[in-house]
Amino acid sequence: MFLDLWETSLLLWLYLPYTALALPPSSNGDHLSARQSSGSDQAKTTATIPVQEVDFHWVAKVSIGGQEVLLCIDTGSSPLWVSTQAGNSNGRVYAVDKSPTAKPLPDEKFNISFPHSSASGIVVEDTLALSSRSVVLKDFALGVVYQESSGIIDQPFDGFIGLGFRGSSPDKGVLDSTPTFFESLMPGLQSPIFALNFQNKANDQIGPSMRFGGIDTTGFHGQLASTPIDRSTNRWTAKGITFSIRGERMDESADMSFDTGGGNHIYAPMSITSAYYNQIPDLLWSSKLGGYNCTIVIPCTAHLPDLEMHIGNGTARIRSEHMMGEPLTGPANPAWNLAYGKLCVPTLQPGGGPYPGKNCLDLRLVGAPFFHENYVVFNQAEPSISYAPYV
């Protein structure tokens, strides 16, 4: 995600009750195997991994030392880490002493700091397998968390697969200097890319998936547009994104990061956010209601327009159905509900927050709404993102 990992917990607050996930088996017969220390000497290949969407995040089944866990796919951080505590995960945890291939690294610690919480543990080398062993990594270094605060343990998955650039996370220990999950796969791939097809289609045998090393040209319509990535941020950040609302293009541009772990939000500059909501006659939003923390809330009966994002040499449209967001689940001023009915948290939010003095995070990120609409390809060797609308 654009966010450092410590910022993620602040975005993971709109959760529905967690239910057990049944991920479909992979239909891809390709096999990718690698050892972190030496790469792969096998024939170049691709691998497609089925994923499941849960609360505007995507998770994959991962076997670590023979123990199955659910890890969140996160393009905004680089380490892979797993919890040893159950939380909302229905008992799925990783235990070092139950893995026949685990090798704890002496004196190496794993720490993640959050504004209001934290997590800590150790670093372990172990064998990872995804999708019925179609992807296998041996002696892969990962974080194993033993201590977590409630803001982390309550999430409906067991950890993260970081698909960001090395150095994009706050942990500056051994995991910030060793190959990431994708870097470990790259020697065996046909191409140094991974592609995300997060469209939910009832007639699709696989459903949402991520493909390592190649592109599924049947997954999108037309030609892929592309934009270079500003590598200096260590994140998947595209520069100079502009916006149009009902055909009117805004003058202001923003550098924004593409973050699969960023929740159901697009965080843009306040001027763009205000222009979007001011397009709606007589719409009351939270700045007129006195504010709700750092978040815009609107009546759930509002009719929001599409949002166009001009990214690189193309344009991505976020349809109104993906702009509405979700009902407000936290505490709210009872007078609001009385006056305006049920309130919702729309997907477009102001990075930095609209309310001075509230210490809101200064965010510029593109989350789930973009991935709900577009097939997205990440190229790590020549840092760029390509995208096209789903078929």
Side-chain angles (χ1 to χ4, degrees):
M1 52 199 159
F2 149 79
L3 309 173
D4 288 333
L5 196 55
W6 63 264
E7 293 170 321
T8 306
S9 64
L10 298 185
L11 300 180
L12 303 183
W13 62 281
L14 287 175
Y15 280 108
L16 302 174
Y18 178 70
T19 56
L21 300 177
L23 287 101
S26 172
S27 62
N28 187 348
D30 295 337
H31 181 82
L32 179 63
S33 179
R35 183 182 180 89
Q36 180 175 330
S37 59
S38 61
S40 173
D41 57 2
Q42 300 187 3
K44 303 291 186 179
T45 188
T46 64
T48 300
I49 307 300
V51 301
Q52 178 84 34
E53 183 175 358
V54 53
D55 300 338
F56 307 108
H57 296 76
W58 291 270
V59 299
K61 277 184 179 179
V62 181
S63 172
I64 306 178
Q67 302 168 67
E68 186 175 278
V69 293
L70 291 176
L71 300 185
C72 177
I73 300 162
D74 183 13
T75 58
S77 65
S78 56
L80 187 151
W81 63 272
V82 64
S83 174
T84 60
Q85 301 187 49
N88 277 348
S89 301
N90 292 340
R92 277 186 306 273
V93 295
Y94 170 75
V96 175
D97 58 1
K98 294 183 179 179
S99 169
T101 51
K103 302 173 186 176
L105 300 184
D107 303 323
E108 294 292 350
K109 305 300 181 184
F110 180 67
N111 296 287
I112 305 170
S113 298
F114 298 77
H116 306 293
S117 56
S118 63
S120 62
I122 63 173
V123 177
V124 172
E125 289 184 348
D126 209 341
T127 297
L128 272 63
L130 283 78
S131 186
S132 301
R133 301 187 68 81
S134 64
V135 173
V136 177
L137 287 176
K138 296 181 179 179
D139 298 333
F140 182 81
L142 63 139
V144 177
V145 169
Y146 284 100
Q147 294 182 332
E148 305 174 56
S149 62
S150 59
I152 309 172
I153 195 174
D154 292 340
Q155 309 309 331
F157 37 79
D158 311 309
F160 285 81
I161 300 176
L163 292 176
F165 296 102
R166 196 189 311 183
S168 60
S169 297
D171 176 68
K172 300 303 179 184
V174 65
L175 294 187
D176 202 47
S177 59
T178 56
T180 65
F181 175 78
F182 187 64
E183 287 176 332
S184 300
L185 296 182
M186 282 175 60
L189 296 176
Q190 290 182 2
S191 183
I193 63 175
F194 60 92
L196 305 181
N197 186 340
F198 286 167
Q199 184 180 32
N200 289 311
K201 292 175 62 177
N203 60 349
D204 190 338
Q205 288 184 338
I206 299 179
S209 63
M210 56 181 173
R211 185 174 181 86
F212 296 109
I215 297 173
D216 177 10
T217 57
T218 67
F220 56 90
H221 176 74
Q223 299 294 317
L224 290 165
S226 64
T227 183
I229 290 302
D230 179 9
R231 187 64 176 81
S232 67
T233 66
N234 280 333
R235 303 180 176 104
W236 293 101
T237 301
K239 298 178 73 67
I241 295 176
T242 58
F243 300 81
S244 290
I245 305 165
R246 290 179 170 158
E248 182 177 346
R249 190 159 181 166
M250 306 279 299
D251 292 332
E252 183 174 355
S253 65
D255 300 344
M256 303 181 71
S257 298
F258 292 78
D259 182 359
T260 57
N264 191 32
H265 297 297
I266 297 172
Y267 284 89
M270 183 60 186
S271 60
I272 293 171
T273 308
S274 298
Y276 177 83
Y277 292 111
N278 287 338
Q279 292 282 322
I280 306 166
D282 301 323
L283 175 67
L284 292 170
W285 51 298
S286 57
S287 68
K288 299 178 182 179
L289 301 175
Y292 177 77
N293 292 332
C294 298
T295 305
I296 287 176
V297 295
I298 61 175
C300 294
T301 55
H303 298 285
L304 301 181
D306 295 349
L307 178 70
E308 288 187 328
M309 302 179 64
H310 307 290
I311 308 166
N313 62 357
T315 297
R317 180 184 298 274
I318 312 299
R319 292 171 293 172
S320 59
E321 64 191 83
H322 290 140
M323 296 300 297
M324 192 63 224
E326 293 295 303
L328 179 64
T329 57
N333 186 332
W336 296 3
N337 290 324
L338 181 64
Y340 308 112
K342 193 171 184 64
L343 296 172
C344 280
V345 179
T347 59
L348 181 63
Q349 293 289 330
Y355 317 116
K358 292 242 180 171
N359 196 29
C360 301
L361 293 176
D362 187 14
L363 309 178
R364 300 287 188 275
L365 71 82
V366 181
F370 179 81
F371 296 98
H372 280 143
E373 299 272 15
N374 296 280
Y375 187 96
V376 188
V377 181
F378 295 78
N379 187 324
Q380 182 146 333
E382 299 177 4
S384 63
I385 289 176
S386 301
Y387 63 96
Y390 293 120
V391 293

